[in-house]
Amino acid sequence: GFKVPHEATKRCRDIHEAIEFCTLWESQREAYPYEIDGMVLKVDSLELQSRCGATSHHPRWAMAFKFKAKQATTRLLDVQFQVGKTGAVTPVAKLEPVQLAGVTVSSVSLHNEDFILSKDIRIGDMVLVERAGDVIPYIVKPLTDLRNGSEKPIEFPRSCPVCHTPLARLDGEAAWRCTNYNCEAQVLQRLIFHVSKDAMDIEGLGKANIEKFYQLGWIRSLADIYRLDYDRIAQLEGFGEKSAANLRAAIEKAKKNPVHRLLHSLSIHHLGKRASRLLAAHIDHVLDLKDWTEEDFTRIKDIGPIVAQNVRAFFQNPENIRMLQEMEALGVNMRPTEDDRPPEPAEEGPLSGKTILFTGALQHMTRKEAQERAAAAGARNVSAVSGNLDILVVGEKAGSKLRKAQALGTVQILSEEEFLKLLGEDGSA
Ligand SMILES: [Zn+2]
């Protein structure tokens, strides 16, 4: 027979408690090492069981609670080609809207030409779509048995759909790129990325407002964001004094951001969050990077030659330097803040020699405090799950990092309480 994991069963006092337990499991099913599609509710009193009775197929005292479906089939209506912030042209499938794990899905990325060719996806196909946990929806496969001959192959463009520059495919890359740095689509995507949550995190200045200000001709470069005319914004339809003032406050706040955010916000190809943090920890001023050689970059552990080349190329371009100087003159911080410098591990402590990473929402302290405590106990904070990670501390709603650590099997996984206990503190401290 099957082994039944004991934490997955619970005796509930009433139906409300049972519903709560099922909902809890539905929300955390991705973190469970086995694929599950629902739960079984049983009445455990023999007396009530006999009163429930049975149909001709099954007893009435045991019922299945099915989780929301993670897969669905729908029709692929069309494919559009979008130009990203680094010029990569991404095919996006437009779907007949379909319900999937509680949300309506009407478009999914097809990633690149190889993905389309390897799956032989065609316009007009019925496709199987899946959405699992925090993973974005994707096409598993076309249902080729349902074809009637009217399906059309997807033709990949040979020039940029926006600026018409011929597309290029670099060695070892799956993406076709528009190589025109001043391509309007790229400029706009870079502006949108700059203000996004992952980058400068400017609240109230999302995609729609960037597009509006761009169309009005108010912003062309990243620096323009920091010299917006708030009086004119207040007069725009849908704005007014209050939202213009809120926007100003959000932009003023962003000017003080740690420089790892600024570096990441520049849309330098392959310079992700992690590499941005590594660079930020090694400079005194962002513009120092214009004097760096490729070796200066690769001397930093975990900065590879491709990131080194791309960052160096960006800082060798006088136009970019001018833009950063303008931003600094407008008040954008270029010097590492406390947040840019990871706490140094203490030489001795209960965690000395260990690497540690925090994921999910912590209840007793902020992420920063947790990292400081870990460092004070001798641990070195790292930013990714890998074979080099010793301890993963898991808060609420932990996602892909927890799954990756579980899959590795070599990482010690601790709750926040267990982490505090390890430091000799309890949760109430
Ligand atoms: Zn273009």
Side-chain angles (χ1 to χ4, degrees), residues 83 87 89 159-167 177-186:
V83 184
V89 175
S159 62
C160 173
V162 177
C163 74
H164 310 296
T165 302
L167 299 182
R177 282 178 197 284
C178 165
T179 53
N180 172 13
Y181 187 76
N182 296 314
C183 167
E184 200 169 300
Q186 290 187 48

Side-chain angles (χ1 to χ4, degrees), residues 139-416:
I139 290 183
V140 181
K141 60 176 181 184
L143 303 173
T144 49
D145 291 349
L146 300 179
R147 282 184 182 159
N148 62 15
S150 69
E151 298 77 16
K152 287 194 302 258
I154 297 163
E155 276 187 50
F156 217 88
R158 295 296 151 215
S159 62
C160 173
V162 177
C163 74
H164 310 296
T165 302
L167 299 182
R169 194 169 175 170
L170 304 177
D171 283 346
E173 277 200 348
W176 285 92
R177 282 178 197 284
C178 165
T179 53
N180 172 13
Y181 187 76
N182 296 314
C183 167
E184 200 169 300
Q186 290 187 48
V187 171
L188 192 56
Q189 292 306 318
R190 286 200 295 267
L191 288 164
I192 291 168
F193 179 72
H194 179 81
V195 301
S196 71
K197 222 177 167 57
D198 269 351
M200 293 299 266
D201 192 17
I202 303 180
E203 214 178 306
L205 191 57
K207 186 168 180 279
N209 282 332
I210 288 285
E211 281 170 351
K212 186 183 283 178
F213 297 164
Y214 185 86
Q215 275 155 17
L216 288 165
W218 294 354
I219 46 175
R220 281 293 175 269
S221 81
L222 301 184
D224 292 338
I225 291 170
Y226 301 93
R227 55 175 155 237
L228 282 167
D229 183 339
Y230 298 102
D231 292 335
R232 281 166 80 189
I233 291 174
Q235 285 156 24
L236 282 181
E237 209 184 299
F239 265 90
E241 297 288 340
K242 186 146 195 299
S243 32
N246 288 344
L247 182 59
R248 173 182 220 145
I251 290 175
E252 287 303 314
K253 183 171 161 235
K255 286 181 181 176
K256 300 191 190 80
N257 272 341
V259 300
H260 68 82
R261 281 190 174 272
L262 176 64
L263 289 170
H264 188 215
S265 79
L266 299 174
S267 294
I268 299 172
H269 194 24
H270 292 303
L271 181 67
K273 264 192 206 179
R274 193 164 114 77
S276 300
R277 275 194 176 272
L278 288 172
L279 285 185
H282 285 84
I283 52 175
D284 293 319
H285 191 285
V286 170
L287 288 170
D288 290 353
L289 293 171
K290 73 181 183 339
D291 302 319
W292 279 35
T293 64
E294 226 171 284
E295 291 71 45
D296 289 332
F297 286 101
T298 50
R299 207 170 289 147
I300 301 175
K301 190 174 172 294
D302 292 338
I303 296 278
I306 293 178
V307 173
Q309 278 162 26
N310 292 347
V311 180
R312 196 172 121 79
F314 181 93
F315 281 91
Q316 288 297 302
N317 181 336
E319 239 178 89
N320 292 332
I321 299 300
R322 227 171 2 250
M323 179 186 77
L324 286 166
Q325 284 166 340
E326 279 176 44
M327 286 167 81
E328 186 172 32
L330 291 162
V332 178
N333 172 50
M334 299 277 157
R335 292 186 184 279
T337 65
E338 204 177 299
D339 188 45
D340 287 311
R341 311 239 180 237
E344 283 292 315
E347 281 190 13
E348 262 176 63
L351 301 180
S352 109
K354 303 264 190 199
T355 56
I356 195 164
L357 175 62
F358 296 85
T359 189
L362 301 176
Q363 301 306 304
H364 299 297
M365 55 201 148
T366 65
R367 183 74 60 95
K368 182 88 187 152
E369 283 163 3
Q371 289 170 340
E372 278 164 5
R373 286 198 200 185
R380 189 162 60 83
N381 288 282
V382 296
S383 52
V385 177
S386 73
N388 297 325
L389 179 64
D390 296 314
I391 302 170
L392 181 71
V393 181
V394 178
E396 280 180 16
K397 297 207 171 98
S400 58
K401 285 190 175 132
L402 173 58
R403 283 200 296 282
K404 200 168 167 196
Q406 283 169 332
L408 275 173
T410 55
V411 181
Q412 187 184 3
I413 296 170
L414 298 180
S415 70
E416 196 178 343

